[in-house]
Amino acid sequence: NTMMSVPSLYGYASVIFNHPAFNDYIATLSKLVIWSSAVHQLTFVLVSSISFAKAEVQDAGLLFLSCISHYIAESILNDQGTTEEIVSTTIVALGIATASLGLVLMLMGKFNCATAVSYLPLPVVGGYLAFIGYFCVVAGAGLCISKSMVDGNFFTDIQMLFDKQSLILALPGLVSGLIMMLISRYAK
């Protein structure tokens, strides 16, 4: 699993830290994402009550981490801050947010509150999952064309792909994603 996880984590780091302010620090931030993933996996395996437990970083959290880091970068830049302030504030904020979520999830599991999720209406869950899917496609296309596509809206995201060079760069990733989706859906 490590052979598959590490390249994915580099992609996750690029999605989380998609603001141009992070470009000079992306190598270090990518290593931080890999380290935090290792800590997450180790903690999950050691603390879980299930003997065969295995943990992997999921793509659903990317949406929130990316939005948080982008918002922090924009806010600090608007206040004439430095990139060092952006990076340090973002790392601390993402660490606190992630640790807080982990604590809440552990408490929900300890007190058997996970069944509360079953009370969410199906359209709410479906909409959330659909947006995560859209976000992952847009983030993946953005990685293919080396431009952040997650800070705009649907029309500006799609408009970027009308550029011939961007479309040529994004096409292999989009076609590969479509093929993988079809195989996973229809292969028996």
Side-chain angles (χ1 to χ4, degrees):
N1 284 335
T2 303
M3 299 275 294
M4 292 174 50
S5 294
V6 172
S8 297
L9 292 172
Y10 275 105
Y12 286 179
S14 295
V15 172
I16 293 168
F17 302 107
N18 65 46
H19 195 279
F22 298 110
N23 287 350
D24 293 339
Y25 300 93
I26 196 65
T28 304
L29 293 170
S30 296
K31 293 172 189 168
L32 183 62
V33 169
I34 292 171
W35 173 251
S36 67
S37 172
V39 170
H40 166 259
Q41 292 173 7
L42 184 64
T43 303
F44 191 90
V45 169
L46 293 176
V47 175
S48 179
S49 60
I50 303 171
S51 61
F52 55 87
K54 175 182 161 297
E56 291 292 330
V57 176
Q58 300 294 313
D59 53 5
L62 285 179
L63 169 66
F64 302 107
L65 297 175
S66 176
C67 290
I68 292 169
S69 68
H70 197 84
Y71 178 79
I72 289 170
E74 285 294 319
S75 296
I76 292 176
L77 283 177
N78 289 339
D79 291 339
Q80 310 303 319
T82 65
T83 55
E84 289 80 13
E85 291 172 329
I86 292 171
V87 172
S88 59
T89 304
T90 301
I91 290 172
V92 170
L94 294 183
I96 290 170
T98 304
S100 300
L101 176 62
L103 181 64
V104 167
L105 291 175
M106 287 175 62
L107 291 173
M108 285 182 71
K110 179 127 178 99
F111 296 111
N112 296 322
C113 297
T115 57
V117 175
S118 66
Y119 293 108
L120 288 173
L122 187 59
V124 170
V125 175
Y128 173 71
L129 293 175
F131 185 74
I132 289 173
Y134 166 74
F135 179 81
C136 288
V137 168
V138 168
L143 288 174
C144 291
I145 64 174
S146 298
K147 293 180 184 171
S148 176
M149 293 178 61
V150 296
D151 56 345
N153 61 40
F154 175 76
F155 297 109
T156 58
D157 293 343
I158 298 303
Q159 189 176 13
M160 280 188 186
L161 293 177
F162 285 138
D163 175 52
K164 184 180 177 182
Q165 183 64 25
S166 294
L167 183 60
I168 290 170
L169 291 172
L171 206 55
L174 294 172
V175 170
S176 298
L178 179 64
I179 290 170
M180 285 189 280
M181 182 196 71
L182 292 172
I183 289 172
S184 68
R185 179 171 288 180
Y186 296 112
K188 299 283 178 187

